Amino acid sequence: MSLSEARFHDLVDATQQALEDLFDETDLDLDMENSAGVLTIKFDNGSQLIFSRQEPLRQLWLADKSGGFHFDYDEESKKWVCEKSEELLGEMLERIVWERIGEKLDFDEI
């Protein structure tokens, strides 16, 4: 069963807000911008993460220097799952943030 448009937007909005809150609670030197449904997180070393919604596919996309990743929402687990690797968004973010800036952040709630 695919997500309704309203449910999809609610889920992406909640995920982006949770990410903003998580990064706000750290002491990291970063800039965040959320504009037109695109959340960009820029770290002081030049690395950035870009989260965007792909409405026609009902996917959340993540762009990172290692590539682009497409996530589908799994209603059973209540998590975003990468369509290729089946890695959870939170797991991927933990790994990417560690690789980019050497910080261990807890993305369990994402």
Side-chain angles (χ1 to χ4, degrees):
M1 183 173 112
S2 87
L3 297 171
S4 71
E5 182 178 342
R7 173 99 170 112
F8 169 72
H9 285 289
D10 288 347
L11 289 166
V12 173
D13 290 345
T15 301
Q16 289 183 341
Q17 186 61 57
L19 288 165
E20 287 185 64
D21 292 346
L22 189 147
F23 282 108
D24 271 341
E25 293 171 4
T26 70
D27 293 331
L28 297 175
D29 186 14
L30 53 84
D31 291 316
M32 286 188 285
E33 180 182 332
N34 197 336
S35 177
V38 177
L39 173 62
T40 304
I41 300 170
K42 297 177 184 178
F43 300 100
D44 65 345
N45 67 1
S47 294
Q48 60 182 1
L49 301 172
I50 302 169
F51 300 88
S52 62
R53 66 187 76 216
Q54 297 301 314
E55 188 176 322
L57 300 173
R58 303 291 197 266
Q59 290 182 326
L60 174 64
W61 286 9
L62 166 62
D64 171 62
K65 73 178 185 178
S66 63
F69 305 95
H70 305 169
F71 293 84
D72 295 303
Y73 190 76
D74 178 58
E75 288 284 1
E76 189 174 318
S77 68
K78 306 287 188 223
K79 301 282 185 178
W80 292 97
V81 181
C82 182
E83 76 174 350
K84 288 188 179 172
S85 69
E86 297 186 3
E87 187 174 13
L88 297 177
L89 176 60
E91 294 170 346
M92 185 178 287
L93 288 173
E94 271 187 34
R95 180 175 46 77
I96 288 173
V97 169
W98 175 254
E99 291 170 357
R100 301 295 167 263
I101 62 170
E103 291 286 334
K104 180 81 169 148
L105 300 180
D106 182 4
F107 290 94
D108 286 345
E109 298 303 314
I110 303 298

